[in-house]
Amino acid sequence: MLLEALGSALLGLALSSAAVRFLAGRLPTPWLVLVSGVLGALFGAYLTRFALGPGHGTPAATLVGAVLVSAVVLSLLLRPAPRGGPARRRAPFSVPS
């Protein structure tokens, strides 16, 4: 069980560091993203282990659950993508000049 917790924390850290690297403009501060990814993975491992029950959970299923919950937590931190170019408002059905 200790190895599952350590493995899920490492997977959460890897997932959150990849998110910081590739989605830096759409996420808050990197330390918040890293902490959220690790805590989400630990909670996901606990939740998966609890849901499967004693004797039915495999380490692979626990790690998959940890990664899925960590990805959900990280997706909640995403902001909308910035639009390219200056924002210009036009009236509906207007012809561009």
Side-chain angles (χ1 to χ4, degrees), residues 28-43:
T29 59
W31 66 269
L32 178 68
V33 176
L34 294 173
V35 169
S36 298
V38 171
L39 289 179
L42 288 173
F43 179 70

Side-chain angles (χ1 to χ4, degrees), residues 1-2 10 14 20-22 36 40 43 46 55 62 75 79 93:
M1 189 154 113
L2 183 63
L10 288 175
V20 165
R21 180 178 174 137
F22 294 114
S36 298
F43 179 70
Y46 171 74
T62 304
S75 73
R79 297 180 194 148
F93 306 111

Side-chain angles (χ1 to χ4, degrees):
M1 189 154 113
L2 183 63
L3 289 176
E4 289 177 356
L6 182 63
S8 64
L10 288 175
L11 284 173
L13 184 65
L15 186 64
S16 59
S17 64
V20 165
R21 180 178 174 137
F22 294 114
L23 299 171
R26 296 182 58 193
L27 289 169
T29 59
W31 66 269
L32 178 68
V33 176
L34 294 173
V35 169
S36 298
V38 171
L39 289 179
L42 288 173
F43 179 70
Y46 171 74
L47 186 68
T48 305
R49 191 143 175 98
F50 181 76
L52 292 177
H56 296 289
T58 62
T62 304
L63 293 177
V64 167
V67 168
L68 290 176
V69 173
S70 179
V72 168
V73 168
L74 290 175
S75 73
L76 293 174
L77 295 176
L78 283 175
R79 297 180 194 148
R83 296 184 184 252
R88 291 178 45 189
R89 293 190 153 229
R90 279 192 274 155
F93 306 111
S94 66
V95 178
S97 54

